[in-house]
Amino acid sequence: MLVGVPREIFPGERRVALVPAVIPNLKKAGLEVILEAGAGVEAGYPDAEYTAKGATLAADRNEVFAKADIILQVLSHGSNDRTGKEDLPLLRKGQVLIGFLRPLGEVRTIQDIAATGATSFSVELMPRTTRAQSMDALSSMGTICGYKAVVLAADTLPRIFPMLTTAAGTITPARVLVMGAGVAGLQAIATARRLGAVVSAYDLRPAVKEQVQSLGGRFVELDIEAKDAQDAGGYAKAQDESFYQRQRELLGKVVAQQDVVITAAVIPGKKSPVLVTKEMVAAMAPGSVIVDLASERGGNCELTRTGEKIVEHGVSIIGSINLASTVPYHASQMYARNLTNFLLNMVKDGQLNLNLDDEIVHSTLVTQGGEIVNPRVREFFSLPALVAQT
Ligand SMILES: NC(=O)c1ccc[n+]([C@@H]2O[C@H](COP(=O)([O-])OP(=O)(O)OC[C@H]3O[C@@H](n4cnc5c(N)ncnc54)[C@H](O)[C@@H]3O)[C@@H](O)[C@H]2O)c1
């Protein structure tokens, strides 16, 4: 079977779906790789490194899609909401597509993929189980984003992060608050601690308190309790507006004391909750920085502008999107390992063997035979259950 890696076409995207180091593992399992020439260059992986590991090069994108049985992408149609459509005429019936499809974004984009007849898998739907951990691309990208958020904040803040005792006096450490201590938030805590900041963190799931503390952060406890804070998959559940309002009242004082606030609180498929209001921004000291990692889904800060860096009340608010793409070497390395583990789980004797009894396979399979077959996606968009599933 031939695995194809086209160049990423989302504007500014620098990642690539496979790195040279994983090719030998794929070959051992009977899979060959064809790469669109130049696909890895922006991430720091020249063509020669791929061919040295046994990949062949295709002169253009059409050749990759025409020859490959399996297409591996980072941002596919759906998550690539700018140019992803261009790939639709290139996909064919039975061809396998694996990538970020944004399956709970817009039903139309998933219907578009279904209409090509491709068998598509969305990495966002990976179950949160121990066995699937090595395939979990959301966690990999979250790790990169959490790290980069702190680097951006440190670069923007007019202060340094660590405490210093010098002949010119003592410098107090920066105070960093992380809101939403999921994978990205936890990495932000660890990175800010390494730079010497005093870090606190808040999350509506009380279960993360110990994780925050083990990274050297202080857990901010508010006098409110979320109802059913977490679903069976470990994700936060949306709360009602009265909860969010009370949360904002209590968080106001904490936010005002910070030099940096990093927000990373998202609810899958939903608009992100507003945790930092414009009044809270106005109460922060001038020069403070907010990095809003939830900006793609509306943002956790009321003033965030998606994809922009703005200054309001003297506070810099960074709403960058697609941050993982700004660390393309390691983001691609992690993603490539995730995809390779995912693929090898489905390959037997060089052939794809879709075992629908495997939770990893049936949870991530989105379209097959012209239909959206994923029960979670169908339910999310209120599509009737498929007859075969009932
Ligand atoms: N294979 C596995 O076992 C596995 C893999 C990945 C993640 N996880 C776990 O799943 C959990 C969620 O991880 P994630 O990074 O994908 O989360 P996420 O990106 O979906 O959300 C980020 C965080 O924001 C928090 N949040 C949401 N609304 C909030 C609000 N109003 N106020 C404060 N915080 C709010 C969530 O509780 C979550 O911790 C973590 O505990 C993580 O360790 C497990």
Side-chain angles (χ1 to χ4, degrees):
M1 294 205 95
L2 194 55
V3 175
V5 182
R7 199 171 46 79
E8 291 296 309
I9 54 170
F10 183 78
E13 177 58 61
R14 294 166 64 198
R15 287 168 293 178
V16 59
L18 280 191
V19 301
V22 299
I23 294 173
N25 285 346
L26 294 172
K27 283 175 92 76
K28 234 183 278 163
L31 301 174
E32 295 297 326
V33 174
I34 184 167
L35 176 95
E36 181 179 347
V41 169
E42 286 276 320
Y45 303 97
D47 288 346
E49 289 188 18
Y50 288 92
T51 50
K53 297 281 185 193
T56 54
L57 294 180
D60 62 32
R61 185 172 199 81
N62 289 3
E63 188 185 340
V64 177
F65 277 84
K67 288 189 172 161
D69 304 294
I70 302 167
I71 295 288
L72 301 185
Q73 285 186 316
V74 183
L75 302 183
S76 304
H77 181 50
S79 65
N80 177 356
D81 52 11
R82 308 270 279 279
T83 53
K85 289 202 229 20
E86 290 172 21
D87 288 339
L88 293 171
L90 305 180
L91 287 165
R92 62 172 184 275
K93 193 165 181 282
Q95 191 170 36
V96 172
L97 172 71
I98 307 174
F100 280 96
L101 307 187
R102 197 174 289 168
L104 307 181
E106 284 178 43
V107 70
R108 182 186 47 79
T109 60
I110 302 299
Q111 283 164 339
D112 289 344
I113 295 173
T116 67
T119 301
S120 67
F121 292 90
S122 160
V123 296
E124 292 100 321
L125 298 174
M126 198 64 70
R128 309 201 115 171
T129 57
T130 308
R131 198 164 69 86
Q133 238 167 0
S134 66
M135 311 171 194
D136 185 352
L138 271 186
S139 288
S140 297
M141 298 307 115
T143 300
I144 300 276
C145 290
Y147 161 84
K148 190 63 190 257
V150 174
V151 173
L152 281 181
D155 188 39
T156 306
L157 192 71
R159 299 163 162 264
I160 62 170
F161 267 37
M163 186 181 106
L164 290 185
T165 308
T166 78
T170 299
I171 292 176
T172 53
R175 282 154 306 183
V176 175
L177 172 69
V178 175
M179 297 167 112
V183 178
L186 289 173
Q187 188 53 234
I189 296 168
T191 306
R193 287 283 300 143
R194 275 183 221 120
L195 281 177
V198 171
V199 183
S200 47
Y202 168 70
D203 196 293
L204 59 71
R205 293 180 303 120
V208 299
K209 179 177 175 179
E210 270 177 37
Q211 294 166 24
V212 169
Q213 290 172 336
S214 72
L215 292 169
R218 187 176 71 83
F219 189 69
V220 175
E221 294 192 63
L222 302 184
D223 194 16
I224 37 168
E225 208 177 302
K227 284 187 209 93
D228 303 331
Q230 133 174 4
D231 69 14
Y235 285 107
K237 282 182 87 171
Q239 303 292 311
D240 59 21
E241 192 42 44
S242 67
F243 175 89
Y244 288 135
Q245 199 172 335
R246 179 89 182 111
Q247 191 179 44
R248 288 193 288 264
E249 279 164 28
L250 294 170
L251 282 170
K253 285 195 206 92
V254 185
V255 168
Q257 296 160 358
Q258 307 301 320
D259 299 305
V260 171
V261 174
I262 292 172
T263 62
V266 298
I267 308 281
K270 298 251 160 68
K271 195 179 168 304
S272 303
V274 171
L275 302 178
V276 182
T277 59
K278 50 181 185 295
E279 291 78 18
M280 284 152 89
V281 174
M284 292 179 82
S288 305
V289 181
I290 297 172
V291 182
D292 193 342
L293 286 178
S295 67
E296 254 163 276
R297 294 204 166 275
N300 292 136
C301 173
E302 200 177 354
L303 297 177
T304 296
R305 282 206 220 126
T306 304
E308 290 182 38
K309 178 177 177 177
I310 57 169
V311 179
E312 293 277 352
H313 307 288
V315 176
S316 297
I317 304 170
I318 302 174
S320 306
I321 54 163
N322 209 17
L323 265 190
S325 172
T326 67
V327 193
Y329 185 89
H330 281 130
S332 303
Q333 180 183 306
M334 293 172 87
Y335 187 64
R337 290 201 181 133
N338 293 146
L339 284 193
T340 302
N341 292 331
F342 178 67
L343 208 46
L344 294 184
N345 180 55
M346 296 194 294
V347 171
K348 218 172 168 203
D349 304 324
Q351 294 303 315
L352 213 53
N353 166 36
L354 296 191
N355 172 14
L356 290 176
D357 292 332
D358 180 344
E359 188 196 10
I360 291 174
V361 178
H362 74 71
S363 300
T364 51
L365 178 65
V366 179
T367 69
Q368 193 176 31
E371 285 276 14
I372 299 176
V373 294
N374 188 286
R376 184 168 161 209
V377 175
R378 292 192 74 89
E379 194 188 322
F380 188 84
F381 291 116
S382 309
L383 302 174
L386 286 179
V387 178
Q389 290 163 9
T390 52

Coordinates of all heavy atoms in Angstrom, one line a residue, residues 88-166:
L88 N -10.9 18.2 -2.5 CA -12.0 17.4 -2.7 C -12.0 16.7 -4.1 O -12.3 15.4 -4.1 CB -13.3 18.2 -2.5 CG -13.5 18.6 -1.0 CD1 -14.7 19.6 -0.9 CD2 -13.7 17.5 -0.1
P89 N -11.8 17.4 -5.2 CA -11.8 16.7 -6.5 C -10.7 15.7 -6.6 O -10.7 14.8 -7.5 CB -11.7 17.8 -7.5 CG -11.6 19.1 -6.8 CD -11.5 18.8 -5.3
L90 N -9.7 15.7 -5.7 CA -8.5 14.8 -5.9 C -8.8 13.5 -5.1 O -8.1 12.5 -5.4 CB -7.3 15.5 -5.3 CG -6.9 16.8 -6.0 CD1 -5.6 17.4 -5.3 CD2 -6.7 16.7 -7.5
L91 N -9.7 13.5 -4.2 CA -10.0 12.3 -3.4 C -10.9 11.4 -4.2 O -11.7 11.8 -5.0 CB -10.7 12.7 -2.1 CG -9.8 13.4 -1.0 CD1 -10.7 14.0 0.1 CD2 -8.9 12.4 -0.4
R92 N -10.7 10.1 -3.9 CA -11.6 9.1 -4.7 C -12.2 8.1 -3.8 O -11.7 7.9 -2.6 CB -10.7 8.5 -5.8 CG -9.6 7.6 -5.3 CD -8.9 6.8 -6.3 NE -7.9 6.0 -5.7 CZ -6.6 6.4 -5.5 NH1 -6.3 7.6 -5.8 NH2 -5.8 5.6 -4.9
K93 N -13.1 7.4 -4.3 CA -13.9 6.4 -3.6 C -12.9 5.3 -3.0 O -12.0 4.9 -3.7 CB -14.8 5.7 -4.5 CG -15.9 4.8 -3.9 CD -17.0 4.5 -4.9 CE -18.1 3.7 -4.3 NZ -17.7 2.3 -4.1
G94 N -13.1 5.1 -1.7 CA -12.3 4.0 -1.0 C -10.9 4.5 -0.6 O -10.2 3.8 0.2
Q95 N -10.5 5.7 -1.1 CA -9.1 6.2 -0.7 C -9.2 6.6 0.8 O -10.3 7.1 1.2 CB -8.8 7.4 -1.5 CG -7.4 7.9 -1.3 CD -7.0 8.9 -2.4 OE1 -7.8 9.8 -2.8 NE2 -5.8 8.9 -2.9
V96 N -8.2 6.3 1.6 CA -8.2 6.7 3.0 C -7.6 8.0 3.2 O -6.5 8.4 2.6 CB -7.5 5.6 3.8 CG1 -7.3 6.0 5.3 CG2 -8.2 4.2 3.7
L97 N -8.3 8.8 4.0 CA -7.8 10.2 4.4 C -7.7 10.2 5.9 O -8.6 9.9 6.6 CB -8.8 11.2 3.9 CG -8.5 12.7 4.3 CD1 -7.2 13.2 3.6 CD2 -9.7 13.6 4.1
I98 N -6.5 10.6 6.4 CA -6.3 10.8 7.8 C -5.8 12.2 8.1 O -4.8 12.6 7.5 CB -5.3 9.7 8.4 CG1 -5.8 8.3 8.0 CG2 -5.2 9.8 9.9 CD1 -4.8 7.2 8.4
G99 N -6.4 12.9 9.0 CA -5.9 14.3 9.3 C -6.8 14.9 10.3 O -7.7 14.3 10.9
F100 N -6.6 16.2 10.6 CA -7.5 17.0 11.4 C -8.6 17.4 10.5 O -8.4 18.2 9.5 CB -6.8 18.3 11.9 CG -5.9 18.1 13.1 CD1 -4.5 17.9 13.0 CD2 -6.4 18.1 14.4 CE1 -3.7 17.7 14.1 CE2 -5.6 17.9 15.5 CZ -4.3 17.7 15.3
L101 N -9.8 16.9 10.7 CA -11.0 17.2 9.8 C -11.9 18.2 10.5 O -12.9 18.6 9.9 CB -11.7 16.0 9.5 CG -11.0 14.7 9.0 CD1 -12.0 13.7 8.6 CD2 -10.2 15.1 7.7
R102 N -11.7 18.6 11.7 CA -12.6 19.4 12.5 C -14.0 18.8 12.4 O -15.0 19.5 11.9 CB -12.6 20.9 12.0 CG -13.2 21.8 13.1 CD -13.1 23.3 12.7 NE -11.7 23.7 12.8 CZ -11.3 24.9 12.3 NH1 -12.1 25.7 11.7 NH2 -10.1 25.3 12.4
P103 N -14.2 17.6 13.0 CA -15.5 16.9 12.8 C -16.7 17.5 13.4 O -17.8 17.2 13.0 CB -15.1 15.5 13.3 CG -14.1 15.8 14.4 CD -13.3 16.9 13.8
L104 N -16.5 18.3 14.4 CA -17.6 19.0 15.1 C -17.7 20.4 14.7 O -18.3 21.2 15.4 CB -17.5 18.8 16.6 CG -17.3 17.4 17.1 CD1 -17.3 17.3 18.7 CD2 -18.4 16.4 16.7
G105 N -17.1 20.8 13.6 CA -17.1 22.2 13.1 C -18.4 22.4 12.3 O -19.4 22.8 12.9
E106 N -18.3 22.2 11.0 CA -19.5 22.4 10.2 C -19.8 21.1 9.5 O -19.0 20.5 8.9 CB -19.2 23.4 9.1 CG -19.2 24.9 9.7 CD -18.8 25.8 8.5 OE1 -19.4 25.7 7.4 OE2 -18.0 26.7 8.8
V107 N -21.1 20.7 9.6 CA -21.5 19.5 9.0 C -21.2 19.4 7.5 O -20.9 18.4 6.9 CB -23.0 19.1 9.3 CG1 -23.9 20.1 8.6 CG2 -23.3 17.7 9.0
R108 N -21.3 20.6 6.8 CA -21.1 20.7 5.4 C -19.8 20.1 5.0 O -19.6 19.4 4.0 CB -21.3 22.1 4.9 CG -21.2 22.4 3.4 CD -21.2 23.9 3.1 NE -20.4 24.6 4.0 CZ -19.0 24.7 3.8 NH1 -18.4 24.1 2.8 NH2 -18.3 25.5 4.6
T109 N -18.7 20.5 5.7 CA -17.4 20.1 5.3 C -17.2 18.5 5.4 O -16.6 17.9 4.6 CB -16.3 20.8 6.1 OG1 -16.4 20.5 7.5 CG2 -16.3 22.2 5.9
I110 N -17.9 18.0 6.4 CA -17.8 16.5 6.6 C -18.6 15.8 5.5 O -18.3 14.8 4.9 CB -18.3 16.1 8.0 CG1 -17.5 16.8 9.1 CG2 -18.3 14.6 8.2 CD1 -16.0 16.4 9.1
Q111 N -19.8 16.5 5.2 CA -20.6 15.9 4.0 C -19.8 16.0 2.7 O -19.9 15.1 1.9 CB -21.9 16.7 3.9 CG -22.9 16.3 4.9 CD -24.0 17.3 5.1 OE1 -23.9 18.5 4.7 NE2 -25.2 16.9 5.7
D112 N -19.0 17.1 2.5 CA -18.2 17.2 1.3 C -17.2 16.0 1.2 O -17.0 15.4 0.2 CB -17.3 18.5 1.4 CG -18.1 19.7 1.2 OD1 -19.3 19.7 0.8 OD2 -17.6 20.8 1.6
I113 N -16.6 15.7 2.4 CA -15.6 14.6 2.3 C -16.4 13.3 2.1 O -15.9 12.4 1.3 CB -14.8 14.5 3.6 CG1 -13.9 15.8 3.7 CG2 -13.9 13.3 3.7 CD1 -13.2 16.0 5.1
A114 N -17.5 13.1 2.7 CA -18.3 11.9 2.5 C -18.6 11.7 1.0 O -18.5 10.6 0.5 CB -19.6 11.9 3.4
A115 N -19.0 12.8 0.4 CA -19.4 12.8 -1.0 C -18.3 12.3 -2.0 O -18.6 11.8 -3.0 CB -19.9 14.1 -1.4
T116 N -17.1 12.4 -1.5 CA -16.0 11.9 -2.4 C -15.9 10.4 -2.4 O -15.2 9.8 -3.2 CB -14.6 12.5 -1.9 OG1 -14.3 11.9 -0.7 CG2 -14.6 14.0 -1.8
G117 N -16.5 9.8 -1.4 CA -16.5 8.3 -1.2 C -15.2 7.9 -0.4 O -15.0 6.7 -0.2
A118 N -14.4 8.9 0.0 CA -13.2 8.5 0.8 C -13.6 8.0 2.2 O -14.6 8.3 2.7 CB -12.3 9.8 0.9
T119 N -12.7 7.1 2.7 CA -12.8 6.6 4.0 C -11.9 7.5 4.9 O -10.7 7.4 4.8 CB -12.3 5.1 4.1 OG1 -13.0 4.3 3.2 CG2 -12.4 4.6 5.5
S120 N -12.6 8.4 5.7 CA -11.8 9.4 6.4 C -11.8 9.1 7.9 O -12.7 8.7 8.5 CB -12.3 10.8 6.1 OG -13.6 11.0 6.6
F121 N -10.6 9.5 8.4 CA -10.4 9.4 9.9 C -10.0 10.7 10.4 O -9.2 11.4 9.8 CB -9.3 8.4 10.2 CG -9.6 7.0 9.9 CD1 -9.3 6.4 8.6 CD2 -10.2 6.1 10.8 CE1 -9.6 5.1 8.3 CE2 -10.5 4.8 10.5 CZ -10.2 4.3 9.3
S122 N -10.7 11.1 11.5 CA -10.3 12.4 12.1 C -9.5 12.2 13.4 O -10.0 11.5 14.3 CB -11.7 13.1 12.4 OG -11.5 14.1 13.4
V123 N -8.3 12.8 13.4 CA -7.5 12.5 14.6 C -8.1 13.2 15.9 O -7.7 12.8 17.0 CB -6.0 13.0 14.4 CG1 -5.4 12.2 13.3 CG2 -5.9 14.5 14.0
E124 N -9.0 14.2 15.7 CA -9.5 14.9 16.9 C -10.4 13.9 17.7 O -10.7 14.2 18.8 CB -10.4 16.0 16.5 CG -9.7 17.2 15.9 CD -9.8 17.2 14.3 OE1 -9.7 16.1 13.7 OE2 -9.9 18.3 13.8
L125 N -10.9 12.8 17.0 CA -11.8 11.9 17.7 C -11.1 10.8 18.4 O -11.8 9.8 18.8 CB -12.8 11.4 16.7 CG -13.7 12.5 16.0 CD1 -14.6 11.9 15.0 CD2 -14.6 13.2 17.1
M126 N -9.8 10.8 18.5 CA -9.1 9.8 19.2 C -9.6 9.6 20.6 O -9.7 10.5 21.4 CB -7.6 10.2 19.2 CG -6.7 9.0 19.5 SD -6.7 7.8 18.1 CE -5.9 8.7 16.8
P127 N -9.9 8.3 21.0 CA -10.4 8.1 22.4 C -9.3 8.4 23.4 O -8.1 8.3 23.1 CB -10.8 6.7 22.4 CG -10.1 6.0 21.3 CD -9.9 7.1 20.2
R128 N -9.6 8.8 24.6 CA -8.6 9.2 25.6 C -8.4 8.0 26.5 O -8.8 7.9 27.6 CB -9.1 10.4 26.4 CG -9.5 11.4 25.5 CD -9.5 12.7 26.1 NE -8.5 13.5 25.5 CZ -8.4 14.8 25.7 NH1 -9.1 15.4 26.6 NH2 -7.5 15.5 25.1
T129 N -7.8 7.0 25.9 CA -7.5 5.8 26.6 C -6.0 5.6 26.6 O -5.2 6.2 25.8 CB -8.1 4.6 25.9 OG1 -7.6 4.5 24.5 CG2 -9.6 4.6 25.8
T130 N -5.5 4.7 27.5 CA -4.1 4.5 27.6 C -3.5 4.0 26.3 O -2.5 4.4 25.8 CB -3.8 3.5 28.7 OG1 -4.5 4.0 29.9 CG2 -2.3 3.4 29.0
R131 N -4.3 3.1 25.6 CA -3.8 2.5 24.4 C -3.7 3.5 23.3 O -2.8 3.4 22.4 CB -4.7 1.3 24.0 CG -4.1 0.4 23.0 CD -5.0 -0.9 22.9 NE -6.3 -0.7 22.3 CZ -6.5 -0.7 21.0 NH1 -5.6 -1.0 20.2 NH2 -7.8 -0.5 20.6
A132 N -4.5 4.5 23.3 CA -4.5 5.5 22.2 C -3.6 6.7 22.5 O -3.5 7.6 21.7 CB -6.0 6.0 22.0
Q133 N -3.0 6.7 23.6 CA -2.2 7.8 24.0 C -1.1 8.2 23.0 O -0.9 9.3 22.7 CB -1.5 7.6 25.4 CG -1.9 8.6 26.4 CD -1.5 8.2 27.8 OE1 -1.0 7.2 28.1 NE2 -1.8 9.1 28.7
S134 N -0.4 7.1 22.5 CA 0.7 7.4 21.5 C 0.2 7.8 20.2 O 0.9 8.1 19.3 CB 1.5 6.1 21.4 OG 0.7 5.1 20.7
M135 N -1.2 7.9 20.0 CA -1.7 8.3 18.7 C -2.5 9.6 18.9 O -3.1 10.1 17.9 CB -2.8 7.3 18.2 CG -2.3 5.8 18.3 SD -3.6 4.7 18.0 CE -2.8 3.2 18.6
D136 N -2.4 10.2 20.0 CA -3.2 11.4 20.4 C -2.6 12.7 19.9 O -1.8 13.4 20.5 CB -3.4 11.4 21.9 CG -4.4 12.5 22.3 OD1 -4.8 13.3 21.5 OD2 -4.8 12.5 23.5
A137 N -3.0 13.1 18.7 CA -2.4 14.3 18.0 C -2.9 15.6 18.7 O -2.2 16.6 18.8 CB -2.8 14.3 16.5
L138 N -4.1 15.6 19.3 CA -4.6 16.8 20.0 C -3.7 17.1 21.2 O -3.3 18.2 21.4 CB -6.0 16.6 20.5 CG -7.2 16.9 19.6 CD1 -8.5 16.8 20.4 CD2 -7.0 18.3 19.1
S139 N -3.3 16.0 21.9 CA -2.4 16.2 23.0 C -1.0 16.7 22.5 O -0.4 17.6 23.2 CB -2.2 14.9 23.8 OG -3.4 14.6 24.5
S140 N -0.5 16.1 21.4 CA 0.8 16.6 20.9 C 0.8 18.0 20.6 O 1.7 18.8 20.9 CB 1.2 15.8 19.7 OG 1.3 14.4 20.0
M141 N -0.3 18.5 19.9 CA -0.3 19.9 19.4 C -0.6 20.8 20.6 O -0.1 21.9 20.7 CB -1.4 20.0 18.3 CG -1.1 19.3 17.1 SD 0.5 19.5 16.4 CE 1.3 17.9 16.5
G142 N -1.4 20.3 21.6 CA -1.6 21.0 22.8 C -0.3 21.3 23.6 O -0.1 22.4 24.1
T143 N 0.5 20.3 23.6 CA 1.8 20.4 24.3 C 2.6 21.5 23.6 O 3.2 22.4 24.3 CB 2.6 19.1 24.2 OG1 1.8 18.1 24.8 CG2 3.9 19.1 24.8
I144 N 2.7 21.5 22.3 CA 3.4 22.5 21.6 C 2.8 23.9 21.8 O 3.6 24.9 22.1 CB 3.4 22.2 20.0 CG1 4.0 20.8 19.8 CG2 4.1 23.3 19.2 CD1 5.5 20.8 19.7
C145 N 1.5 24.0 21.7 CA 0.9 25.3 21.9 C 1.1 25.9 23.3 O 1.3 27.1 23.5 CB -0.7 25.2 21.6 SG -1.0 24.9 19.9
G146 N 1.0 25.0 24.3 CA 1.2 25.5 25.7 C 2.6 26.1 25.9 O 2.8 27.1 26.5
Y147 N 3.6 25.4 25.3 CA 5.0 25.9 25.4 C 5.1 27.2 24.7 O 5.6 28.2 25.2 CB 5.9 24.8 24.7 CG 7.2 25.3 24.3 CD1 8.3 25.4 25.2 CD2 7.5 25.7 23.0 CE1 9.5 25.9 24.9 CE2 8.7 26.2 22.6 CZ 9.7 26.3 23.6 OH 10.9 26.8 23.2
K148 N 4.6 27.3 23.4 CA 4.8 28.5 22.6 C 4.0 29.7 23.2 O 4.5 30.8 23.1 CB 4.3 28.2 21.2 CG 4.6 29.2 20.2 CD 6.2 29.4 20.0 CE 6.5 30.6 19.2 NZ 6.9 30.4 17.8
A149 N 2.9 29.4 23.8 CA 2.2 30.5 24.5 C 3.0 31.2 25.5 O 3.0 32.5 25.6 CB 0.9 30.0 25.1
V150 N 3.8 30.5 26.3 CA 4.6 31.1 27.3 C 5.8 31.8 26.6 O 6.1 32.9 27.1 CB 5.1 30.0 28.3 CG1 6.1 30.6 29.2 CG2 4.0 29.4 29.0
V151 N 6.3 31.3 25.6 CA 7.4 31.9 24.9 C 7.0 33.3 24.3 O 7.6 34.3 24.4 CB 8.0 31.0 23.8 CG1 9.0 31.7 22.9 CG2 8.6 29.8 24.4
L152 N 5.8 33.3 23.7 CA 5.2 34.5 23.2 C 5.0 35.5 24.3 O 5.3 36.7 24.1 CB 3.9 34.2 22.5 CG 3.9 33.6 21.1 CD1 2.4 33.4 20.6 CD2 4.6 34.5 20.1
A153 N 4.4 35.1 25.4 CA 4.1 36.0 26.5 C 5.4 36.6 27.0 O 5.5 37.8 27.3 CB 3.4 35.2 27.6
A154 N 6.5 35.7 27.2 CA 7.7 36.2 27.7 C 8.4 37.2 26.8 O 9.0 38.2 27.2 CB 8.7 35.0 27.9
D155 N 8.2 37.0 25.5 CA 8.8 37.9 24.5 C 8.0 39.3 24.5 O 8.6 40.3 24.1 CB 8.7 37.2 23.1 CG 9.4 38.0 22.1 OD1 10.5 38.5 22.4 OD2 8.9 38.1 20.9
T156 N 6.8 39.3 24.8 CA 5.9 40.5 24.8 C 6.0 41.3 26.1 O 5.9 42.5 26.1 CB 4.5 40.1 24.5 OG1 4.5 39.3 23.3 CG2 3.6 41.3 24.2
L157 N 6.1 40.6 27.2 CA 6.1 41.2 28.5 C 7.3 42.1 28.7 O 8.4 41.7 28.4 CB 6.1 40.1 29.6 CG 5.8 40.5 31.0 CD1 4.3 40.9 31.2 CD2 6.1 39.4 32.0
P158 N 7.1 43.3 29.2 CA 8.2 44.2 29.4 C 9.0 43.9 30.7 O 9.9 44.7 31.1 CB 7.6 45.6 29.5 CG 6.2 45.3 30.0 CD 5.8 44.0 29.5
R159 N 8.8 42.7 31.3 CA 9.5 42.3 32.4 C 10.2 41.0 32.1 O 9.9 40.3 31.1 CB 8.5 42.0 33.6 CG 7.7 43.1 34.0 CD 6.5 42.5 34.8 NE 5.9 43.5 35.6 CZ 6.2 43.7 36.9 NH1 7.0 42.9 37.6 NH2 5.6 44.7 37.6
I160 N 11.1 40.5 33.0 CA 11.7 39.2 32.8 C 10.9 38.2 33.7 O 10.2 38.7 34.6 CB 13.2 39.1 33.2 CG1 13.5 39.5 34.6 CG2 14.0 40.0 32.2 CD1 14.9 39.2 35.0
F161 N 11.0 37.0 33.5 CA 10.2 36.0 34.3 C 10.8 35.6 35.6 O 10.1 35.6 36.6 CB 10.0 34.7 33.4 CG 8.7 34.7 32.6 CD1 8.2 35.8 32.0 CD2 8.0 33.5 32.5 CE1 7.0 35.8 31.3 CE2 6.8 33.5 31.7 CZ 6.3 34.7 31.2
P162 N 12.1 35.4 35.7 CA 12.6 34.9 37.0 C 12.9 35.9 38.0 O 13.1 37.1 37.6 CB 14.0 34.2 36.6 CG 14.4 34.9 35.3 CD 13.2 35.4 34.6
M163 N 13.0 35.5 39.2 CA 13.4 36.4 40.3 C 15.0 36.5 40.2 O 15.6 35.5 40.0 CB 13.1 35.9 41.7 CG 13.4 36.8 42.8 SD 13.0 36.2 44.4 CE 14.6 35.8 44.9
L164 N 15.5 37.7 40.3 CA 16.9 37.9 40.2 C 17.4 38.8 41.4 O 16.7 39.8 41.7 CB 17.4 38.6 38.9 CG 17.3 37.8 37.6 CD1 17.9 38.6 36.5 CD2 18.0 36.4 37.7
T165 N 18.5 38.3 42.0 CA 19.1 39.2 43.0 C 20.4 39.7 42.5 O 21.3 38.9 42.2 CB 19.3 38.4 44.3 OG1 18.0 37.8 44.6 CG2 19.7 39.3 45.5
T166 N 20.5 40.9 42.2 CA 21.7 41.5 41.5 C 22.2 42.7 42.3 O 21.6 43.2 43.2 CB 21.3 42.0 40.1 OG1 20.7 43.2 40.1 CG2 20.4 41.0 39.3

